Amino acid sequence: MPGGDTIVVIGSGPAGAAAAVQLASAGVKVTLLEAGLRGEARGITARVAGMTVLRLHRPIKTRTEGLTISGDPGTILYEDIAPGGLTNHWSCAVPRFSPDDFLDARRAGEAFTWPIDYEDLAPWYDRVEPLLQMSGTTMDAPQLPAGKVRDVRALGAAWQQIAAAASSEGQAIVPVPYVYGARTTLTMSGTVFNSFVRLVKPIERAGRVDVRYGKQVTELQWSGSAKRVTAVLARDRQTGADERIPCRAVVMAAGAVNSAKILLQSTSADFPEGLGNTHGVLGRYLHDHPIGKLIVDLNTPLAFTPAAYVTRKALDKTVPLYAASCLQWSGVHHFVRSVMHGHPGRLPAAGFSLFGTMAPAAENFVGLDPGKRSPDGTPGVLLKIGYPPESAAALEAARDQMVHLFDRVKLGPRVSLWTIDPVGSAIHFAGSCRMHASPAFGMLDAWSRMHAVPNVIVADSAAFTTGSEKNPVLTAMALAARASQRLVEDLRRGDV
Ligand SMILES: Cc1cc2nc3c(=O)[nH]c(=O)nc-3n(C[C@H](O)[C@H](O)[C@H](O)COP(=O)(O)OP(=O)(O)OC[C@H]3O[C@@H](n4cnc5c(N)ncnc54)[C@H](O)[C@@H]3O)c2cc1C
């Protein structure tokens, strides 16, 4: 067959791993091209009695070489070119999007409307969550549907009181849904769940996926006569040699910045502005989670395990597309400090990461900077992104609400730390190749296929039409599995 019979997956982060697992289970031939080298996902994580007691991992890097920042000058781009991608470092929080997240986007107008609803995604959350072995609650909360949880957790008595106060104001407080519910486990990676170690390695060992390491994809090759992508071009990171890998279809999962970059580099007579870029929206609508850090001193020690998740406010109390959630900090260092304070498991302060939102705007984008070179010899990356003022307002409202809730239960709250971190600090870039019913607003259809190139799907968070305040990995994995299954069906029907 011209173009080969394999489906090429690019990247072994959580989105690529979820796609590879889904494709392998459908019995199709899968080649995974990973720019990272074999053995690069090194680390050790040990968990005892539900607490992570040891975590050795290499430090996370920011990209500087070949990077131009033209929006907020403080913008940071973290990445990890290694098997497992950023799951070598992540914190493993996996909230589902809620039905209201899709409604919120719809009420903001056509440009923000997803071509799918929560009901389209729910069966795919059900499918991928067991792969993650989650801990959390089984109770649906307003703004946060419960996942398929393996280890059921409940908040302690003091938090239940705060949750009751929140509930009377239309918000919920539940245990943070986290990955890997095994109470005692040893993982040979820097986090309890590294997508490569947990998902790709087993199918590689079983011979169900051919993983090719050190293959930095530079371009997808479009055939004007076949009207589809027929090959992927990759550069070997060690030898610098270029290789053409024929394919039947492609799953892009190199992360929201690199997936857009590869597609922009994939020019042809039919697509001079990048693959499938018929309406100039490739790379645009880049968004991120504005993140705030909050520490509140309290007059009574409060539990930090399980960590509490304070949901966003209801839609009728917020402006469209602006909200924030609070995720309590937890971990072994908190435990050590609590022992030193004489209240094991409780501290007279609570710390939170507040994840906020920004309305995606076409002016925020990932582009190419031909004036610079990336380490693989391809053009540099241009990032233009900045937070609108509404983002800080939503974070501040969530901070004030947290303090108000502590006050209502007479914990005597005093804010001892409040910061809003620079753009890119949440490491949740998304939206650069988004789903939308119209190619004028997005590159992908309701099945994450490129409108103009149906044998290419984009599986990572580049596909998000809008970013809710929820951490992105679970939703990216659900979308990746859903799109991969549809791709297999399309290929079997001969539609691609
Ligand atoms: C400290 C930290 C904490 C976090 N906490 C959370 C959390 O609690 N919950 C959550 O949802 N998210 C969290 N995140 C974010 C999360 O890790 C990322 O959103 C997620 O890993 C992105 O997945 P991805 O598959 O799109 O991309 P990545 O994880 O970046 O993976 C991309 C993969 O593609 C490969 N690649 C890149 N370019 C190429 C190329 N040209 N050719 C071939 N391969 C390529 C990379 O090597 C990598 O394997 C956190 C991140 C960090 C750093």
Side-chain angles (χ1 to χ4, degrees):
M1 165 185 312
D5 62 354
T6 190
I7 298 182
V8 167
V9 176
I10 301 171
S12 64
V21 166
Q22 186 64 36
L23 294 169
S25 73
V28 295
K29 203 168 153 193
V30 186
T31 298
L32 193 152
L33 300 179
E34 169 52 59
L37 304 176
R38 188 192 290 273
E40 239 177 344
R42 265 185 238 107
I44 299 180
T45 304
R47 201 165 158 80
V48 177
M51 200 177 297
T52 302
V53 292
L54 173 73
R55 229 188 111 195
L56 300 178
H57 62 113
R58 61 221 184 97
I60 187 164
K61 294 182 211 124
T62 52
R63 185 197 280 215
T64 47
E65 199 180 334
L67 177 67
T68 306
I69 301 293
S70 74
D72 185 322
T75 303
I76 307 170
L77 175 58
Y78 288 98
E79 69 178 9
D80 196 359
I81 300 298
L86 290 166
T87 61
N88 284 289
H89 310 276
W90 75 317
S91 313
C92 300
V94 281
R96 288 186 176 201
F97 280 23
S98 74
D100 276 4
D101 291 325
F102 295 90
L103 283 177
D104 191 25
R106 185 166 302 131
R107 72 179 177 155
E110 189 196 358
F112 307 100
T113 301
W114 287 70
I116 57 169
D117 267 312
Y118 177 75
E119 290 68 35
D120 299 304
L121 210 46
W124 294 95
Y125 282 130
D126 290 350
R127 186 86 65 104
V128 297
E129 283 165 348
L131 301 174
L132 301 171
Q133 308 198 29
M134 288 165 51
S135 65
T137 178
T138 53
M139 310 264 285
D140 282 333
Q143 315 299 344
L144 184 60
K148 288 221 166 294
V149 161
R150 186 180 118 153
D151 257 21
V152 180
R153 302 272 162 91
L155 294 172
W159 267 113
Q160 304 262 4
Q161 239 192 319
I162 306 164
S167 169
S168 70
E169 299 182 21
Q171 272 177 287
I173 305 183
V174 294
V176 178
Y178 272 123
V179 163
Y180 215 72
R183 293 185 66 74
T184 301
T185 178
L186 180 69
T187 313
M188 300 312 283
S189 66
T191 59
V192 271
F193 182 92
N194 174 303
S195 56
F196 171 76
V197 173
R198 291 279 182 197
L199 299 183
V200 177
K201 251 185 163 173
I203 53 173
E204 184 191 26
R205 270 198 221 106
R208 291 159 68 205
V209 59
D210 175 24
V211 183
R212 304 197 50 202
Y213 299 89
K215 298 293 174 193
Q216 191 115 30
V217 173
T218 53
E219 200 180 320
L220 272 51
Q221 215 168 49
W222 165 259
S223 159
S225 54
K227 295 282 170 226
R228 62 189 184 86
V229 165
T230 50
V232 172
L233 303 187
R235 189 158 295 162
D236 191 285
R237 248 179 80 194
Q238 287 170 310
T239 66
D242 287 327
E243 188 180 353
R244 181 179 182 277
I245 297 138
C247 64
R248 203 170 168 207
V250 179
V251 177
M252 298 293 307
V257 171
N258 285 319
S259 285
K261 179 174 187 281
I262 294 166
L263 294 171
L264 285 163
Q265 286 165 189
S266 306
T267 53
S268 61
D270 287 341
F271 300 116
E273 303 299 324
L275 187 70
N277 194 9
T278 51
H279 290 69
V281 293
L282 177 57
R284 296 198 172 269
Y285 295 100
L286 179 70
H287 56 264
D288 180 35
H289 276 146
I291 184 171
K293 302 269 171 61
L294 171 67
I295 298 179
V296 187
D297 292 337
L298 305 168
N299 60 19
T300 310
L302 183 68
F304 49 81
T305 306
Y309 184 109
V310 185
T311 65
R312 58 161 287 168
K313 284 190 179 174
L315 295 197
D316 60 2
K317 293 192 174 147
T318 54
V319 296
L321 294 175
Y322 286 94
S325 59
C326 305
L327 275 71
Q328 190 189 10
W329 299 337
S330 186
V332 73
H333 49 290
H334 282 71
F335 186 73
V336 172
R337 275 179 47 218
S338 72
V339 171
M340 282 157 58
H341 271 87
H343 307 284
R346 293 181 303 140
L347 279 171
F352 301 89
S353 292
L354 276 64
F355 290 98
T357 55
M358 61 184 285
E363 309 85 79
N364 292 321
F365 64 89
V366 178
L368 299 180
D369 182 354
K372 286 191 179 164
R373 290 280 119 194
S374 292
D376 63 357
T378 54
V381 179
L382 176 60
L383 275 193
K384 183 188 172 295
I385 183 166
Y387 295 146
E390 292 90 335
S391 294
L395 286 173
E396 283 157 12
R399 172 200 65 194
D400 294 347
Q401 175 69 0
M402 195 68 249
V403 172
H404 160 74
L405 291 172
F406 282 141
D407 199 40
R408 268 192 65 184
V409 297
K410 308 202 177 337
L411 283 175
R414 290 173 319 280
V415 173
S416 61
L417 175 93
W418 171 247
T419 56
I420 296 182
D421 290 349
V423 178
S425 300
I427 322 176
H428 290 172
F429 281 126
S432 54
C433 192
R434 69 205 289 248
M435 300 169 85
H436 200 281
S438 161
F441 290 114
M443 297 291 298
L444 312 177
D445 70 8
W447 294 96
S448 311
R449 302 173 292 204
M450 295 186 87
H451 282 294
V453 188
N455 76 329
V456 175
I457 62 173
V458 177
D460 52 47
S461 56
F464 289 10
T465 312
T466 60
S468 87
E469 79 293 350
K470 315 287 191 318
N471 315 56
V473 162
L474 177 68
T475 298
M477 291 178 76
L479 282 169
R482 178 177 179 270
S484 300
Q485 180 58 30
R486 177 59 191 242
L487 180 65
V488 170
E489 288 162 18
D490 285 350
L491 292 171
R492 289 199 172 130
R493 274 198 301 266
D495 284 356
V496 171

